[in-house]
Amino acid sequence: TGPASADPSVISTMLTSYFPVPLDEEIIGIGVVVVDITERKAGEAARQQLAAIVDGSGDAIFGTTTSGIITSWNGAAERLFGWTAQEAIGQPASLIATADTVGVQQEMRGRLNAGGAHERHETTRRRKDGSVVDVLVIASTATDETGKVVGLSVIAHDITQRRAEQQALETSQRRLAAAQSNAHLGSFEFDVLTGELTWSAEYSRILGLDPSLPASYELFTSMVHPDDAAMVAGVRTDANRRVAFDLDFRIIRTDSQVRWVRTQSVPEFGENGAVVKVVGTMMDETRRVEADREQRVAESRFEIAFEQAAIGAAIADLDGIATRVNPSLCSFLGRSADELVGHRSAEFTHPDDVAFSHAAFMRMGPGHDSYADQRRYVRPDGSIVWALCNIALVRDEMGAPQYFFTQLQDITVRKVVEEELVQQALHDSLTGLPNRALLTDRLIHGLAGSRRRGTQVGVIFLDVDHFKVVNDSLGHTSGDDLLRQAAERIAGAIRPGDTVARFGGDEFVVVCDDVNLADTTQIAARVLEALSQPCVIGGQDVHVTASLGIAISDEHATPESLLRDSDAAMYRAKERGRGRVEVFDEAVRLKAEARLATESALRRGLEREEFVLHFQPIVDLSSGTMVGTEALLRWRHPERGLVSPADFIPIAEATGLIVPLGAWVLEAACRQLIEWQVTAPALTMAVNVSVRQMLAPGITRLVENVLLRTGVRPEDLCLELTESVFMEDVEYFERILASLKALGLRLAIDDFGTGYSSLSYLKRFPVDGVKVDRSFIDGLGTEPHDSALVAAIIAMAAALGLDVTAEGVETQQQLAILEQLHCGRAQGFYLARPMPAADMTRFLAASHRWKVG
């Protein structure tokens, strides 16, 4: 640096450069170059001064290229946006733009690059931490010496606080407006000096006016209800007298609605003490006024309802002491108001319900403002009444408890009906004993108690022997009388704590708690003895017996197993002659298990088609020819071989499997008949039908469909029924047999002579023939009574026009006697044993003829 000219006051800055001057690889001199850099240094100083100003600015200042790349970044920018200069320089300006302002930023840059004036607008920008800041952006162009735009300069001023204050003000104004709107509270100001009146938008809405209409005192007074006009007119005078006022009055809106409003105002005073302004509010009080009126009406109605209610009602203090009662409550409890007021309800509550009602009362409080239950009360005469009790805790406006309101509805009649329904649901209507449902419940509780105490439960299953005979011979009324007497005798023979239940029909069950086998056997013996005494039914003595089975519980016992085992023991008592007691033991268990195994095998046998038919010829005794055949069911068990019908038919009957089995037998027999009738057109087929099959729905339709499918002529099919049909519903079987007979087939009574009352029903049922039971045929020629009975049956059948077939003919002597008695047909081992279908086919082909006569 040194003088720039001869003028010593002018200082110039020179850049001096030295360099060697070589010649033939030797330095021969030093060259010097001097350049004047005064202006450049002045420019650098100016830029440093500007940079200092920029860095010291409180506003964020940064520069960008025309394409938006950041070229400078001051300290305020680092503080405002969070990015350091090193991080920001070289990045696009969109670095600080929010997603929704990137496009606006680009448009602004485009306008500035095109020579537009500086830009100024409020917007938002993004910080490094992702937060958003409100800023005032001022952007302008930077040009070179030629005026060409070479970049942009941007100043960002933080306006977050100003915006927050502005938003707070706007929010406050909105809240005030909303509060006035929600509260129906309008405000007004009246300038006493100028007479100018202003009011809020809500004030206009309360008056039913358009908020854009200018406020005026005349407009307001024109809307005041005429009856309140004088009162409102005095308000101005009161205000001028420095008096605040609080006034309720009515207005009539432009839509003709009458509304109640409340106006409150206070005066404001000037320096001289004179009133200069009156400010106040107006609130729509219509709902409050109407609510007050409704409350007064409700209180009046409550008084009427309380006193005249058909339901008893009382008001009690927080200690539960009655302070008021209505006439219905007095009538319900049988006491006067003086006897009830000042007393707790527990004094009149049934002793068994006192603790319960006290516990309910103690629950009332926080979270339990209402309660309902059913309880009993005792009247002065000792009678008991039931009430549905509803208690409500009444609180004041602040939620503090005030008193209890109680209602008692008389439900005495309903409770009596409910008890009767429970009695009916759990007790037998005929005998009054527990029914099967209650019996199961007693068994469950008995078993649970016995296990806790280490004792046993004994179950006695009882069936009245030959009850059907009594029922049919003496009538159902007498049968019912017999069951009632049996129930009384059983109940009288057992211990006080034991339970006797009617299980169904003529079956009873006794449950004995805390017993052993010996105890239970003694109880059963007493029951058997009590039932052995004659019962007086319809004025005559009737002797009955019963079969009893006993089962004793073990650790695995259940109600079902005890009933099952005692039932099995009872059946063994029947098998061994009836009128006795049998205990379920290993033998009975084995038999029951065998029965269950047979039942399961029967079901599998049906599925696997293990059943076959054998056929036994029916011979005409006058010609010695076979006129028909009887289809007999056989079971070809895969392990046991051919099983006798006696071993599985009773089980099939008991389980209901006889119904599908019988349907299969009928279809198979009819199909076989069609095949045989090719060579023996006159041959008929007899098929046994059990009572269980007859009771199954659609038996007539089943037979009809089989006839249609197989093509068998109805007259060639004979259905054989045992005499047990006479032991069932006579009217039902009369209808069913009539419908079967209408199909054209034949009906016969099988095992005739072994049943009861069958002779009296022969004329009533549409049967075509009878089959004399083999038990009578066995005694022909050896038992005079049997011969006489068979002769009587044949004669009776002839008189009624019925065919007679003798079963079980096994000797020549029996056959000869039957011929002498003019029996029409016979079958039995002597004539031919039952045979498979293939053997019967060969038998028919041989046209076998028996020697008779």
Side-chain angles (χ1 to χ4, degrees):
T1 302
S5 62
D7 185 354
S9 63
V10 178
I11 303 300
S12 300
T13 301
M14 302 295 183
L15 174 62
T16 304
S17 299
Y18 300 89
F19 57 91
V21 179
L23 178 63
D24 295 332
E25 298 182 354
E26 290 184 6
I27 302 301
I28 61 172
I30 295 174
V32 179
V33 178
V34 179
V35 180
D36 188 351
I37 58 171
T38 303
E39 292 184 1
R40 190 182 75 181
K41 293 296 281 185
E44 288 178 355
R47 283 194 294 273
Q48 289 174 355
Q49 185 178 11
L50 178 61
I53 294 172
V54 169
D55 283 339
S57 172
D59 291 331
I61 301 175
F62 60 92
T64 71
T65 65
T66 55
S67 61
I69 301 301
I70 298 174
T71 58
S72 63
W73 190 260
N74 73 344
E78 289 184 354
R79 292 189 295 274
L80 180 62
F81 297 115
W83 280 283
T84 64
Q86 185 178 2
E87 292 172 327
I89 293 173
Q91 296 294 325
S94 59
L95 175 70
I96 60 173
T98 59
D100 56 343
T101 62
V102 171
V104 176
Q105 186 187 62
Q106 292 174 346
E107 293 174 359
M108 179 185 71
R109 188 166 57 248
R111 290 192 296 271
L112 291 172
N113 287 337
H118 73 276
E119 298 274 344
R120 177 189 179 93
H121 67 280
E122 295 182 359
T123 184
T124 58
R125 287 293 182 261
R126 183 171 64 93
R127 290 190 172 105
K128 182 179 180 179
D129 60 5
S131 60
V132 175
V133 59
D134 294 319
V135 294
L136 170 64
V137 172
I138 302 173
S140 59
T141 58
T143 59
D144 58 11
E145 297 81 354
T146 64
K148 178 182 177 181
V149 177
V150 294
L152 303 179
S153 294
V154 181
I155 300 173
H157 178 66
D158 186 354
I159 59 172
T160 303
Q161 184 175 356
R162 178 171 64 79
R163 274 203 169 181
E165 293 172 352
Q166 181 181 356
Q167 289 174 354
L169 177 61
E170 293 173 352
T171 300
S172 177
Q173 292 174 340
R174 286 196 302 270
R175 287 176 179 172
L176 177 61
Q180 289 191 354
S181 177
N182 292 335
H184 296 285
L185 179 68
S187 60
F188 69 89
E189 290 186 7
F190 177 65
D191 192 320
V192 176
L193 301 178
T194 64
E196 182 183 5
L197 176 66
T198 59
W199 56 52
S200 67
E202 184 60 24
Y203 198 98
S204 296
R205 281 190 286 270
I206 293 173
L207 297 175
L209 299 173
D210 185 342
S212 63
L213 289 175
S216 73
Y217 186 78
E218 291 73 18
L219 179 60
F220 165 74
T221 55
S222 69
M223 303 185 70
V224 176
H225 193 283
D227 294 345
D228 298 335
M231 176 177 58
V232 173
V235 170
R236 217 171 191 182
T237 303
D238 290 341
N240 291 332
R241 293 203 306 266
R242 307 160 61 106
V243 177
F245 65 84
D246 187 339
L247 188 67
D248 290 333
F249 58 93
R250 289 162 293 177
I251 60 171
I252 302 175
R253 299 186 355 159
T254 55
D255 57 6
S256 300
Q257 285 191 48
V258 177
R259 309 289 293 181
W260 278 93
V261 296
R262 181 179 184 180
T263 297
Q264 295 175 306
S265 69
V266 292
E268 293 184 1
F269 307 97
E271 294 180 357
N272 59 1
V275 176
V276 296
K277 185 183 293 185
V278 177
V279 297
T281 60
M282 176 185 284
M283 178 179 288
D284 190 335
E285 292 278 270
T286 305
R287 289 185 180 179
R288 181 188 61 78
V289 173
E290 291 178 350
D292 290 344
R293 181 168 56 249
E294 290 175 358
Q295 182 176 357
R296 290 192 296 272
V297 172
E299 290 173 351
S300 175
R301 289 175 178 171
F302 174 79
E303 289 295 320
I304 297 172
F306 183 85
E307 292 297 324
Q308 299 183 4
I311 296 177
I315 295 175
D317 62 23
L318 297 180
D319 292 326
I321 298 175
T323 58
R324 184 176 178 184
V325 296
N326 71 347
S328 293
L329 184 64
C330 295
S331 175
F332 174 64
L333 295 179
R335 291 175 168 82
S336 67
D338 291 338
E339 294 175 292
L340 297 176
V341 173
H343 297 270
R344 290 183 173 88
S345 63
E347 299 178 33
F348 320 112
T349 304
H350 191 281
D352 293 344
D353 294 345
V354 170
F356 171 72
S357 61
H358 178 71
F361 178 79
M362 296 304 294
R363 289 180 57 193
M364 300 294 289
H368 298 280
D369 283 5
S370 62
Y371 182 80
D373 63 23
Q374 297 178 10
R375 60 181 69 167
R376 290 165 291 179
Y377 293 91
V378 182
R379 288 177 168 175
D381 60 4
S383 61
I384 297 174
V385 290
W386 277 92
L388 175 61
C389 180
N390 287 279
I391 305 173
L393 177 61
V394 180
R395 299 177 181 271
D396 61 15
E397 296 177 352
M398 302 302 292
Q402 293 295 297
Y403 60 86
F404 291 104
F405 180 72
T406 302
Q407 290 181 301
L408 299 182
Q409 181 180 355
D410 187 353
I411 59 171
T412 306
V413 174
R414 192 183 82 188
K415 293 298 290 186
V416 171
V417 173
E418 286 179 357
E419 290 174 359
E420 291 176 352
L421 290 175
V422 170
Q423 174 72 17
Q424 294 173 9
L426 298 177
H427 292 79
D428 174 50
S429 59
L430 177 64
T431 63
L433 296 177
N435 60 13
R436 189 177 300 190
L438 184 53
L439 169 67
T440 302
D441 183 70
R442 297 280 174 86
L443 277 170
I444 292 172
H445 285 83
L447 285 171
S450 69
R451 287 178 180 132
R452 288 194 304 270
R453 296 185 293 271
T455 59
Q456 292 177 296
V457 173
V459 174
I460 304 172
F461 203 108
L462 181 152
D463 182 88
V464 178
D465 296 329
H466 301 306
F467 173 74
K468 189 66 177 178
V469 177
V470 176
N471 214 29
D472 286 347
S473 60
L474 299 180
H476 290 287
T477 302
S478 297
D480 290 346
D481 194 10
L482 173 61
L483 291 175
R484 280 191 290 267
Q485 291 191 40
E488 292 174 2
R489 294 190 180 188
I490 297 170
I494 63 178
R495 302 176 306 171
D498 296 337
T499 297
V500 56
R502 186 183 179 198
F503 197 70
D506 57 349
E507 296 176 331
F508 298 87
V509 173
V510 177
V511 178
C512 310
D513 292 332
D514 301 328
V515 293
N516 53 32
L517 178 57
D519 298 331
T520 310
T521 303
Q522 290 179 1
I523 296 170
R526 292 200 301 268
V527 171
L528 191 62
E529 174 63 24
L531 291 175
S532 66
Q533 304 301 316
C535 298
V536 179
I537 306 294
Q540 59 180 310
D541 290 346
V542 176
H543 293 267
V544 295
T545 60
S547 299
L548 284 70
I550 294 176
I552 301 295
S553 69
D554 57 21
E555 64 272 17
H556 304 298
T558 65
E560 294 77 12
S561 69
L562 287 173
L563 291 173
R564 180 194 65 219
D565 294 348
S566 58
D567 183 43
M570 181 272 293
Y571 271 106
R572 185 165 71 168
K574 285 188 174 295
E575 293 171 356
R576 292 186 172 183
R578 295 183 170 87
R580 58 187 291 127
V581 178
E582 290 289 338
V583 177
F584 184 81
D585 56 16
E586 189 61 27
V588 178
R589 185 185 304 277
L590 291 174
K591 187 171 182 179
E593 291 175 354
R595 179 186 177 92
L596 182 61
T598 301
E599 179 184 341
S600 300
L602 274 174
R603 296 184 186 276
R604 291 194 300 271
L606 265 173
E607 299 172 358
R608 299 173 183 177
E609 299 180 353
E610 295 173 358
F611 294 93
V612 295
L613 291 182
H614 282 196
F615 301 90
Q616 185 174 39
I618 300 174
V619 180
D620 184 280
L621 296 184
S622 62
S623 63
T625 60
M626 183 172 68
V627 294
T629 180
E630 181 180 0
L632 301 170
L633 181 63
R634 298 291 185 268
W635 182 13
R636 188 180 291 114
H637 193 277
E639 298 173 359
R640 297 165 57 187
L642 208 58
V643 181
S644 170
D647 294 336
F648 70 86
I649 290 297
I651 298 176
E653 286 272 5
T655 59
L657 288 173
I658 194 67
V659 175
L661 265 176
W664 177 84
V665 170
L666 181 64
E667 180 108 12
C670 287
R671 293 194 183 279
Q672 187 61 66
L673 179 61
I674 287 295
E675 292 183 18
W676 288 336
Q677 283 183 337
V678 174
T679 57
L683 189 68
T684 63
M685 178 67 71
V687 178
N688 291 289
V689 180
S690 72
V691 174
R692 191 69 176 265
Q693 288 176 267
M694 296 291 288
L695 291 171
I699 179 65
T700 303
R701 176 63 59 86
L702 170 68
V703 175
E704 183 180 16
N705 289 339
V706 169
L707 292 174
L708 291 173
R709 284 196 299 270
T710 60
V712 169
R713 295 188 299 268
E715 60 270 20
D716 292 341
L717 175 63
C718 179
L719 298 184
E720 296 183 357
L721 304 100
T722 62
E723 283 190 83
S724 55
V725 298
F726 301 123
M727 303 288 289
E728 303 294 336
D729 189 335
V730 175
E731 294 182 357
Y732 169 80
F733 278 101
E734 190 174 17
R735 293 194 304 271
I736 294 298
L737 293 179
S739 65
L740 289 170
K741 188 62 181 174
L743 297 178
L745 47 79
R746 295 171 58 80
L747 300 174
I749 302 300
D750 196 11
D751 301 331
F752 189 79
T754 60
Y756 300 89
S757 305
S758 58
L759 298 180
S760 64
Y761 289 127
L762 277 178
K763 291 179 61 177
R764 186 170 181 178
F765 287 96
V767 297
D768 300 286
V770 296
K771 297 184 76 172
V772 184
D773 187 69
R774 67 179 63 247
S775 62
F776 299 118
I777 304 302
D778 286 344
L780 286 180
T782 59
E783 296 289 339
H785 292 296
D786 286 351
S787 299
L789 282 172
V790 172
I793 292 173
I794 293 173
M796 178 201 63
L800 295 175
L802 303 177
D803 295 331
V804 179
T805 302
E807 295 184 289
V809 177
E810 297 187 356
T811 66
Q812 171 60 39
Q813 184 184 17
Q814 293 170 354
L815 184 62
I817 294 173
L818 288 172
E819 291 173 10
Q820 292 171 7
L821 295 175
H822 303 291
C823 180
R825 300 177 179 182
Q827 64 183 100
F829 284 4
Y830 178 75
L831 299 171
R833 289 178 176 273
M835 61 190 77
D839 293 347
M840 180 61 77
T841 300
R842 289 190 290 271
F843 198 83
L844 285 170
S847 300
H848 182 78
R849 184 182 292 271
W850 286 265
K851 183 178 180 180
V852 295

